[in-house]
Amino acid sequence: MIKINDIEIPMYPSSYDDSPSVVKTDSYAIDGSLERQQYPSKKQVKMSFPMANPSVYAFFNAFFEGESAVKFYNDTSKYGVLEFTGIITACNPSEYIRGGSLLFPLEITIREV
């Protein structure tokens, strides 16, 4: 069960990736040697909904536009129970085509704070 702020999401994603985000930067030192700065990994979730409807978008967009972090919970993660406080960093709906079925692809990314 996937929840955001203790509310079950209205539709389950067709694609789900909860691999941690690792940030590394490589740069050259003044003597020409290569340096790597690696920061601690952060929990991250990417979800894809190929057939989202406006109410699913409105659910995620309310958290995306909100000012506070969200509490993410998934008890069926490949890592066991995945629970963290994060920010929805991407809520990207594809273009809506007028006169269509009202369904559109939606990408959601939540990253640990």
Side-chain angles (χ1 to χ4, degrees), residues 4 15-16 30-31 36 50 63 77-78 86 92 107 112:
I4 296 179
S15 174
Y16 176 88
I30 200 160
D31 66 356
R36 173 170 283 172
F63 295 117
S77 168
K78 63 185 173 188
N92 301 325
E107 301 283 330
E112 182 180 25

Side-chain angles (χ1 to χ4, degrees), residues 41-111:
S41 64
K42 295 285 189 173
K43 295 174 183 165
Q44 178 175 281
V45 172
K46 293 181 180 181
M47 297 182 281
S48 296
F49 304 88
M51 304 288 279
N53 59 35
S55 65
V56 172
Y57 173 70
F59 174 82
F60 287 109
N61 195 50
F63 295 117
F64 179 65
E65 296 292 333
E67 297 177 9
S68 61
V70 297
K71 188 172 81 174
F72 180 82
Y73 174 85
N74 182 7
D75 59 1
T76 58
S77 168
K78 63 185 173 188
Y79 299 103
V81 175
L82 180 63
E83 190 171 6
F84 64 90
T85 301
I87 295 175
I88 297 181
T89 60
C91 182
N92 301 325
S94 292
E95 182 180 351
Y96 168 69
I97 300 171
R98 266 185 71 178
S101 64
L102 293 179
L103 301 177
F104 50 87
L106 177 63
E107 301 283 330
I108 302 294
T109 303
I110 305 173
R111 188 170 189 271

